Amino acid sequence: MDIERILELKEKAKEEKAKELSIVDHDIRMLLIDIERVKTQIEELNNELKVKFSYEALVKQKALLSILKDNEKKLNDLQILREKKAQELKEIYTEIKALEKLKTSTEDSNRKKQTQLDQINLGFLHTIKKSAMLIGIIFPLVSFSESALSKKIKQEQRSKAESDMQIISKELELKLKRIEEEKKALEEKRRKLEELQRQKEEVQIKPEDQKEIEKWIAVINKTSPDEAGAMMNELDPNLAAQILLRLKERQAAQILEAMDPKKSAEVSKIIMSSKTSKGGKP
């Protein structure tokens, strides 16, 4: 594989890496916009709760705080990924410059060697002219020497170029393979993140859980909000959400307040998702 071919492959790798970086930049921009939107909604809900308590507003606030936390984690992951992609692109640019220098150096070296060969040939011809009387004997020897020297120089040039090309070609093939593997891993990671997000937003309550929900409601109606909050902390988030959805809004809000903040935010997010899927306001 010659330098021209390797440079062509490097240019393709550069375009591919630049495209990947552009996709990550786009995802970061979109996520930043979404984070600002969620922050604005949280601020509006905070102001609303200061003026008048609302169960719906509290549920929305808890859910939005959970969404904000998830988005900030995604943003951090994307920023780390961007730094990695930018560094890889920088390395490809460096390799291209090195190859271009190698190409120029090889061409200069070939020209110098050809010039030396031409000078040697001229020297031989000059000697032949001065020794015209011995041309019948010397000329075959000169031709033989010239041919042998020319072949030796050309062979050295070919060997050096082939050695350089083999090293560069092997490195390039490894890098291209790594780029392809990373691209597949990135797509798989994105797919898993989307699937995980979708699963989190789904409410998964089995029919056989309905009786258990009714039993829990009966118990909670006989306990204080603090005790009920402690109970809810131990339950599956989906089950806890279904129980709270069946309580009076004021009672459910008091229990949410008594729960562990992290668990409360998770349950609130499920409640809001359930209301949205049933046609309620998000």
Side-chain angles (χ1 to χ4, degrees):
M1 186 180 292
D2 58 20
I3 294 180
E4 291 290 346
R5 176 56 179 162
I6 294 175
L7 278 170
E8 182 181 342
L9 291 174
K10 281 290 182 183
E11 287 294 337
K12 289 182 180 179
K14 181 186 73 174
E15 292 175 2
E16 184 66 26
K17 191 59 63 177
K19 183 178 179 181
E20 291 177 8
L21 184 60
S22 176
I23 291 173
V24 174
D25 283 337
H26 176 269
D27 290 345
I28 289 175
R29 288 195 299 272
M30 293 299 100
L31 198 54
L32 284 171
I33 292 173
D34 194 50
I35 287 173
E36 288 303 316
R37 178 183 61 79
V38 173
K39 285 182 177 179
T40 299
Q41 291 178 348
I42 291 173
E43 183 64 26
E44 291 173 352
L45 287 171
N46 286 337
N47 295 333
E48 181 179 334
L49 287 169
K50 288 177 182 178
V51 175
K52 182 181 179 182
F53 177 83
S54 166
Y55 171 74
E56 289 289 339
L58 180 63
V59 170
K60 288 181 184 179
Q61 183 193 51
K62 295 286 186 181
L64 287 170
L65 286 171
S66 178
I67 291 171
L68 179 62
K69 185 177 179 181
D70 289 343
N71 284 348
E72 287 176 341
K73 184 180 183 304
K74 289 179 184 178
L75 178 62
N76 183 63
D77 292 341
L78 283 173
Q79 288 173 336
I80 293 173
L81 180 62
R82 189 196 183 285
E83 290 179 4
K84 180 181 178 182
K85 294 298 179 185
Q87 181 60 34
E88 290 173 351
L89 183 59
K90 182 179 178 181
E91 289 175 1
I92 292 177
Y93 273 108
T94 301
E95 290 168 1
I96 289 175
K97 288 182 179 179
L99 282 169
E100 290 173 343
K101 287 183 179 180
L102 176 61
K103 178 184 176 183
T104 301
S105 176
T106 301
E107 291 174 348
D108 290 343
S109 177
N110 289 340
R111 282 195 294 270
K112 289 179 181 179
K113 289 179 180 180
Q114 186 60 46
T115 300
Q116 291 174 353
L117 181 60
D118 292 341
Q119 291 174 347
I120 292 171
N121 289 339
L122 288 173
F124 274 114
L125 291 174
H126 182 67
T127 301
I128 290 171
K129 290 179 180 179
K130 291 180 66 175
S131 308
M133 60 185 302
L134 299 175
I135 193 170
I137 299 173
I138 295 176
F139 187 74
L141 294 175
V142 171
S143 298
F144 174 78
S145 299
E146 178 186 345
S147 175
L149 180 60
S150 176
K151 286 182 179 179
K152 184 178 180 181
I153 292 174
K154 290 180 179 180
Q155 181 61 38
E156 290 178 352
Q157 293 174 346
R158 282 196 298 270
S159 298
K160 178 66 167 57
E162 288 174 0
S163 177
D164 292 340
M165 291 306 100
Q166 287 177 358
I167 293 173
I168 294 172
S169 177
K170 188 174 292 186
E171 291 178 352
L172 178 60
E173 288 175 0
L174 289 173
K175 286 183 179 293
L176 290 175
K177 183 179 179 181
R178 189 172 71 247
I179 289 171
E180 186 62 27
E181 289 174 350
E182 289 176 353
K183 182 180 178 182
K184 290 180 180 178
L186 178 63
E187 291 298 327
E188 180 64 16
K189 183 177 180 181
R190 176 182 288 181
R191 185 190 66 77
K192 288 182 178 179
L193 284 173
E194 290 176 351
E195 178 64 18
L196 181 61
Q197 185 65 22
R198 184 187 65 78
Q199 290 176 357
K200 283 183 177 181
E201 293 174 352
E202 289 180 352
V203 179
Q204 300 175 346
I205 296 297
K206 300 176 182 179
E208 54 265 30
D209 290 334
Q210 297 302 323
K211 290 183 179 180
E212 184 177 359
I213 291 172
E214 296 301 327
K215 290 179 181 179
W216 274 107
I217 291 174
V219 172
I220 289 171
N221 283 331
K222 297 177 182 179
T223 62
S224 67
D226 289 340
E227 291 174 331
M231 294 177 187
M232 293 296 100
N233 286 334
E234 304 301 321
L235 296 181
D236 174 81
N238 287 319
L239 179 58
Q242 290 301 312
I243 293 170
L244 293 176
L245 280 168
R246 288 162 173 76
L247 298 176
K248 294 180 180 179
E249 291 188 0
R250 186 70 180 180
Q251 182 184 11
Q254 291 174 343
I255 293 173
L256 278 171
E257 284 293 335
M259 290 173 62
D260 175 76
K262 184 177 180 181
K263 189 67 172 282
S264 176
E266 187 176 0
V267 172
S268 296
K269 185 177 179 181
I270 295 172
I271 289 173
M272 188 172 73
S273 175
S274 177
K275 286 178 175 291
T276 302
S277 65
K278 292 177 181 179
K281 294 181 180 180

